[in-house]
Amino acid sequence: MTYSETETGFLTETRVFYDAIAEDYAVLFQEELKGRPLERAILDVFADLVEGEGPVADLGCGPGRTTARLAALGLDIYGLDLSESMLAIARRENPGLRFEQGSMLDLDLPDGSLAGALSWYSSIHTPVDRLPALFAEFHRVLAPGGPLLVAFQAGDKHRHHDRPFGHDVSLTFQRRQPDVMAGLLTDAGFALHSRTVREADESLGETSPQAFLIARKPAATTTP
């Protein structure tokens, strides 16, 4: 079954939005990690937590910049995204990496098949009532002990983008409280590893704090 056969309204809205703005977005965030040393450090920590040589998935990878960063750190990583236009950029800029189209709510992966996964600002368009299902799907595909990194804007007030770059599309970027997200991850069966929040950096055009949660699927236990 392909993701399009189960696609719901918010997924369609998200895909259409990013298909429209992909090239402009990629130019605007050409060097998105350059002025963000904390983000680079968190990605380094995540890479260190991945054990073994299993595959890692960048879920909601956009133009693939985070995927490429983690590949450079030695991870066997591939990217997945709803937007074919974003994926076209990712493939163009990173011809040696694999990028697939799909929904992170319905991953075509066996149980326990990933050594690690990240959702780098990609859960921000998932309605809050679908987050438990999203995190349950992440938990399903991770191997025992596998880390999950979730990045998002922190806060209560959502931000609506209407006609960005002059394109006739709109989308709401949903901000979350770190405590709420941590609770949802715990409810999904994860053990929280770290919680990092930094204040908004106005020089980067930010209007809200940035949050980064690392959680792990508990390691398998053996019975005597």
Side-chain angles (χ1 to χ4, degrees):
M1 180 178 293
T2 64
Y3 87 96
S4 59
E5 292 171 338
T6 59
E7 190 171 330
T8 59
F10 77 91
L11 293 177
T12 301
E13 184 180 33
T14 302
R15 176 176 54 79
V16 169
F17 180 87
Y18 283 105
D19 275 346
I21 71 165
E23 292 292 345
D24 297 292
Y25 179 99
V27 171
L28 181 63
F29 295 104
Q30 182 71 41
E31 297 181 330
E32 59 184 306
L33 291 173
K34 184 176 181 180
R36 294 175 166 87
L38 180 62
E39 281 83 336
R40 296 197 303 272
I42 288 170
L43 290 170
D44 290 352
V45 170
F46 169 76
D48 285 345
L49 290 173
V50 175
E51 299 176 350
E53 299 179 354
V56 176
D58 183 0
L59 302 171
C61 64
R65 274 67 183 272
T66 305
T67 322
R69 167 79 182 184
L70 290 169
L73 293 174
L75 296 187
D76 176 15
I77 190 168
Y78 75 96
L80 178 138
D81 203 89
L82 283 171
S83 168
E84 187 57 49
S85 295
M86 284 289 194
L87 291 169
I89 296 167
R91 293 169 183 140
R92 183 178 73 213
E93 294 186 353
N94 306 282
L97 298 180
R98 177 165 62 98
F99 295 94
E100 299 179 356
Q101 188 178 32
S103 167
M104 59 187 182
L105 274 160
D106 185 21
L107 297 169
D108 187 19
L109 292 169
D111 294 357
S113 57
L114 292 180
L118 71 153
S119 171
W120 192 256
Y121 294 94
S122 58
S123 68
I124 61 175
H125 307 305
T126 302
V128 65
D129 63 340
R130 298 296 299 274
L131 288 177
L134 179 67
F135 293 155
E137 182 72 344
F138 291 169
H139 188 274
R140 179 187 70 80
V141 298
L142 277 168
L148 170 69
L149 169 57
V150 181
F152 54 96
Q153 293 94 352
D156 296 309
K157 187 177 180 181
H158 301 332
R159 187 175 185 183
H160 187 73
H161 290 264
D162 189 44
R163 296 185 58 84
F165 309 107
H167 297 288
D168 190 19
V169 291
S170 63
L171 193 65
T172 298
F173 290 57
Q174 302 184 40
R175 292 165 178 166
R176 323 280 194 186
Q177 286 295 342
D179 287 346
V180 172
M181 294 289 276
L184 290 171
L185 288 169
T186 301
D187 290 345
F190 287 98
L192 195 65
H193 178 273
S194 65
R195 179 186 335 212
T196 306
V197 180
R198 70 162 175 79
E199 294 305 310
D201 187 336
E202 293 183 359
S203 70
L204 298 173
E206 296 174 348
T207 59
S208 63
Q210 310 296 304
F212 311 91
L213 304 181
I214 298 178
R216 300 192 82 153
K217 183 173 180 176
T221 58
T222 57
T223 55

